[in-house]
Amino acid sequence: MNGPQRHPVVLVGAGPGDPELLTLKAIRALRRATVALVDDLVQPGVLRFLRRSARVVHVGKRGGCASTPQAFIHKLMVAEAQRGERVVRLKGGDPFVFGRGGEECDALRAAGLEVEVISGLSAGLAGPASIGVPVTDRRHTRGVALVTGHAGEGGEGSDEPDWAALAQSGLTLVVYMGVARVRTIASALAAAGMDAATPAAVVSQAHTPQQRHALCTLGTLAEVVQAKALGSPAILVIGDVVRVSAQWAVAQQDLAVRRA
Ligand code: SAH
């Protein structure tokens, strides 16, 4: 009973946006693929590395919008691979950083399929870097915590990180999926004793032509996000490392001039 040859399913990190931030391995996998299951954070420019004959299935799910259920994505990957297709599962950033890559690996292995994971540059590192913020600058911090600001599928607060512990940790906080709940997050950190003057930044649509950002403080973060209409996808960075950005100094000068 010889079925079609099965190829490993490849989970590919597409990076934050700019196709130039793809890895060579990612490009090679895209060139080989016959079927690509694509998340909607993946920028269109990345798809140009696929063969013309490749079938592209958009399985995106943006916060709050209609989404393809995860179970359906699992079934589709399994079915296509079992038919002998070379399946690429293309995800924004890194597949294992808030990308449900672990769950997808489990589902594929449970179906007896091999999985290969190609890391991508995560938005939580590349976003801050794009505005000159080194998230682990040792003069300011001992490390960085990558956390979700999303409320969780079980209702408001169900997947919530321990904001009080994070506020006390001295780590740089990089918050994914947090922009819609920025007011709640900033209040929770302030309530746990984080100084309102702690530098903060927001980077929206990092490494895309639509990139915008703001530099502010924990105390002004929510109002700045609203005033500048900085929408999802966006990364929040909270911590003293934000001071290192050359743009932080410029922003402080602007503020001083406006106040004078
Ligand atoms: N696996 C992805 C994260 C997926 S979760 C990664 O490693 O980057 C989706 C969240 O990632 C968004 O809500 C946003 O917080 C962040 N994100 C993804 N792409 C982004 C981009 N280009 N600019 C800013 N934030 C981005």
Side-chain angles (χ1 to χ4, degrees), residues 16 41 92-94 97-99 122-123 176-177 203-206 208 232-235:
L41 280 177
D94 185 275
V97 180
F98 299 119
S122 191
Y176 293 69
M177 298 169 276
V203 194
S204 173
Q205 306 199 60
T208 75
S232 174
I235 292 288

Side-chain angles (χ1 to χ4, degrees), residues 2-83:
N2 277 339
Q5 190 198 346
R6 290 176 186 179
H7 306 283
V9 173
V10 193
L11 268 52
V12 177
D18 184 348
E20 293 210 10
L21 294 176
L22 282 166
T23 62
L24 295 175
K25 277 196 184 208
I27 292 173
R28 198 162 64 210
L30 291 177
R31 287 200 173 129
R32 281 193 190 143
T34 58
V35 175
L37 275 66
V38 181
D39 271 353
D40 54 10
L41 280 177
V42 174
Q43 294 293 303
V46 170
L47 303 182
R48 70 166 188 257
F49 293 103
L50 290 164
R51 303 173 187 194
R52 279 220 199 138
S53 57
R55 194 147 40 87
V56 177
V57 186
H58 290 278
V59 291
K61 49 164 143 294
R62 288 301 301 281
C65 302
S67 65
T68 311
Q70 192 65 28
F72 176 80
I73 297 174
H74 294 171
K75 273 191 194 151
L76 191 59
M77 287 192 296
V78 169
E80 297 290 358
Q82 284 176 339
R83 283 180 16 196

Side-chain angles (χ1 to χ4, degrees), residues 62-65 147-152 156 160 163 175-187 202-204 221-226 229-236:
R62 288 301 301 281
C65 302
V147 297
T148 174
H150 187 241
E156 180 69 12
E160 198 87 8
W163 296 115
V175 186
Y176 293 69
M177 298 169 276
V179 81
R181 295 182 70 244
V182 60
R183 197 166 291 280
T184 308
I185 295 166
S187 307
V202 191
V203 194
S204 173
L221 187 57
E223 92 193 41
V224 165
V225 164
Q226 195 177 11
L230 290 164
S232 174
I235 292 288
L236 310 174

Side-chain angles (χ1 to χ4, degrees), residues 87-99:
V87 181
V88 149
R89 173 77 175 103
L90 192 55
K91 292 168 164 292
D94 185 275
F96 280 177
V97 180
F98 299 119

